[in-house]
Amino acid sequence: ALYFILLARECSGFGRSTSHARSNALGDCSSRMQTSTRGGTRTHRIRSNSSYQPNQSQLYSSAVAVDVVKLKYTEYSKPSDASSSSAITKPPVLIVHGLLGQSRNFASLAQSLAAQLQFKRRIIAVDLRNHGESGHADSMSYTAQAQDLLKVMDREGMEEAVLVGHSMGGKVVKAAALLHPDRVAGLVVMDISPVRYETHEAHWGSVKETIESIVGVDLDSCGGGKRDVDMALRSSIADPALRAFILTNLNECRDTGELSWKINIESIASELDGIAGFEICNPDGSSIEETEGGLVYTGDVLFIKGGASKFVQNSHLETIQSYFPNYLLTSIRSAGHWLHAEAPEDTTAMLKRYLDR
C-alpha cells in the first residue's frame, strides 16, 4: 500500500525526496560480491569477464518488421552537467518502468542517483508504448518495445547505454540486451525473471485481475469524474492505495470533464498473455526458443529482487544464467515487488555502486 501511495504522489509532483547511498550496499561487480542491505544479505553468483569484446558474428539486431512508437522521456542530471557535457564520459542510463507505470514513478530515484554518482552520466526515464505520454500501438511484444528503446538512443545520439528496468520494463531491457548486445553497456533488472508467469500464480493472477477490473469500468457512466471511477473499481479492488495508483493513469478534461485513460488499456489487456511470457524474435522472425544455443548477453547483469516478492524464484536461476551468464542476483529482504519505492535508499545505493564500479 505504501508503494502505491508514493507513486500517486510522484505522479502528482509530490514526494520528491533525496536519498543517500551506503558505501557498502553493493560490492564491485568485477568479483564475487557481498551485498549489505537494510533488511539483510543474500548474494548469488556472478561470473565476470570485463575484457570481453563480442564478435560481430555473435551480434543480433532485429530485422523483424515492427512498428516503432515514439516514446516520451525525461532527462535527469545534476545542474552542472548542462554546462559541462564534455565531463560526461560514461554511457548514459535509461530507466524503464513496469506495467501501468510511467517515467515519473522514477523521478525521485533518478534525481537522487544523478546527484550521487561519482562518474557523471545522462539519466533518462522513458514512458513505454501505451503508457504515460508515449504513443499507442496494438502490439506490446518485447521485440517491438526493445526497438522503441533503441530509437530513443538513436534520437539522443547514444551509441550504447546502461539499461535499468523494473517488472515488465525489466523484460523490455532484457530483450534489448539479447537482441542488441552491442548497444547495451550494462543491465540492471529489478524483480522480474525472463520466464512466463501463469495466472494460477498469485502474484501474476492479481495483475490479470487488476487489468480486467480497469477494462470493466465504463468511463461514460462516471459522470462524477475520478471519484466515480474509484467507486467503480472498489468492488473488485479493495486496496484504496492501489486504486489511487490506477487513477494516476486517468485523464480528466478540465473543460468538459470527459474521462479517458492515458494507458492504452485495450491493447494492454489483449496483449497480457504475451506480457506474461518472454518471447522475442530473432532477425529471421523465429523465437529465441527455436535458436540453436539461444541468445546470450555476456555483459555484467545485476538482478535486484524484493525479498518479499515471488517474481524471482530459485527455480528461475537456471533460465537466468542461460541468457545472462555473467549475472549477480541480490535481494532487499524487507522489500516487495516495488522495491524502488519501498526501499529507495538501498535501491539507489545498489545502482550507484553498479554504475560507479
Side-chain angles (χ1 to χ4, degrees):
L2 173 61
Y3 163 72
F4 294 114
I5 293 171
L6 289 172
L7 284 194
R9 288 177 178 174
E10 286 277 17
C11 294
S12 302
F14 298 99
R16 302 292 182 89
S17 61
T18 59
S19 58
H20 300 281
R22 303 174 185 178
S23 61
N24 67 339
L26 187 62
D28 189 336
C29 281
S30 63
S31 61
R32 180 168 177 81
M33 293 190 267
Q34 183 70 19
T35 303
S36 174
T37 68
R38 178 180 57 205
T41 300
R42 182 175 297 173
T43 303
H44 290 271
R45 69 182 73 81
I46 184 170
R47 301 171 184 171
S48 179
N49 184 4
S50 58
S51 63
Y52 175 81
Q53 294 295 327
N55 185 294
Q56 290 300 314
S57 64
Q58 295 175 303
L59 301 183
Y60 295 81
S61 62
S62 177
V64 180
V66 295
D67 293 327
V68 175
V69 172
K70 187 174 182 179
L71 303 184
K72 180 263 183 184
Y73 51 91
T74 302
E75 181 162 2
Y76 301 89
S77 58
K78 298 199 307 187
S80 59
D81 292 345
S83 59
S84 183
S85 59
S86 61
I88 302 176
T89 59
K90 295 288 186 177
V93 177
L94 264 61
I95 302 176
V96 186
H97 63 80
L99 187 65
L100 301 184
Q102 52 192 305
S103 59
R104 287 193 292 178
N105 300 155
F106 285 88
S108 292
L109 184 145
Q111 290 169 338
S112 180
L113 185 62
Q116 294 182 36
L117 284 177
Q118 178 182 357
F119 303 109
K120 297 178 182 178
R121 296 175 185 261
R122 298 178 65 189
I123 299 178
I124 292 176
V126 306
D127 284 342
L128 290 172
R129 60 169 57 197
N130 296 326
H131 289 76
E133 305 298 329
S134 288
H136 290 183
D138 291 337
S139 174
M140 288 288 289
S141 77
Y142 291 118
T143 301
Q145 294 195 72
Q147 291 295 104
D148 293 345
L149 284 187
L150 261 69
K151 272 298 182 182
V152 172
M153 293 171 60
D154 292 343
R155 196 178 314 140
E156 290 295 321
M158 301 174 182
E159 182 178 350
E160 60 179 0
V162 177
L163 304 183
V164 178
H166 171 250
S167 196
M168 182 187 73
K171 286 190 172 184
V172 173
V173 300
K174 282 183 282 193
L178 291 170
L179 291 168
H180 306 274
D182 55 327
R183 303 292 301 276
V184 179
L187 190 64
V188 180
V189 179
M190 298 167 62
D191 207 60
I192 199 76
S193 293
V195 301
R196 165 169 289 280
Y197 297 99
E198 303 293 347
T199 53
H200 65 77
E201 299 174 282
H203 49 285
W204 184 253
S206 64
V207 172
K208 185 174 184 292
E209 291 171 2
T210 298
I211 298 299
E212 290 174 346
S213 296
I214 298 172
V215 171
V217 175
D218 180 7
L219 294 182
D220 292 335
S221 66
C222 295
K226 290 187 176 182
R227 179 175 297 181
D228 277 5
V229 178
D230 182 69
M231 289 292 294
L233 290 169
R234 187 173 299 181
S235 61
S236 55
I237 301 176
D239 185 352
L242 175 54
R243 296 198 305 273
F245 170 63
I246 293 170
L247 292 177
T248 64
N249 289 292
L250 189 65
N251 280 324
E252 184 172 8
C253 179
R254 291 183 180 180
D255 296 331
T256 66
E258 182 179 0
L259 298 172
S260 62
W261 293 111
K262 290 182 187 178
I263 49 175
N264 183 352
I265 189 60
E266 291 81 10
S267 291
I268 290 172
S270 66
E271 294 280 284
L272 196 59
D273 183 67
I275 293 170
F278 186 62
E279 182 176 351
I280 59 177
C281 295
N282 291 313
D284 62 1
S286 62
S287 168
I288 56 172
E289 287 82 4
E290 301 168 359
T291 303
E292 184 177 356
L295 296 178
V296 177
Y297 176 73
T298 56
D300 289 341
V301 182
L302 174 63
F303 281 79
I304 308 175
K305 167 184 167 19
S309 171
K310 300 297 185 183
F311 277 90
V312 180
Q313 302 180 25
N314 289 337
S315 59
H316 300 163
L317 297 183
E318 184 176 352
T319 301
I320 290 173
Q321 186 171 8
S322 70
Y323 292 140
F324 308 103
N326 297 331
Y327 84 95
L328 167 74
L329 171 61
T330 189
S331 66
I332 304 174
R333 291 185 179 177
S334 60
H337 182 56
W338 297 278
L339 44 88
H340 56 290
E342 297 173 22
E345 291 186 1
D346 288 328
T347 304
T348 302
M350 289 180 177
L351 289 171
K352 178 187 184 303
R353 290 300 298 273
Y354 177 85
L355 294 169
D356 280 343
R357 73 195 192 285

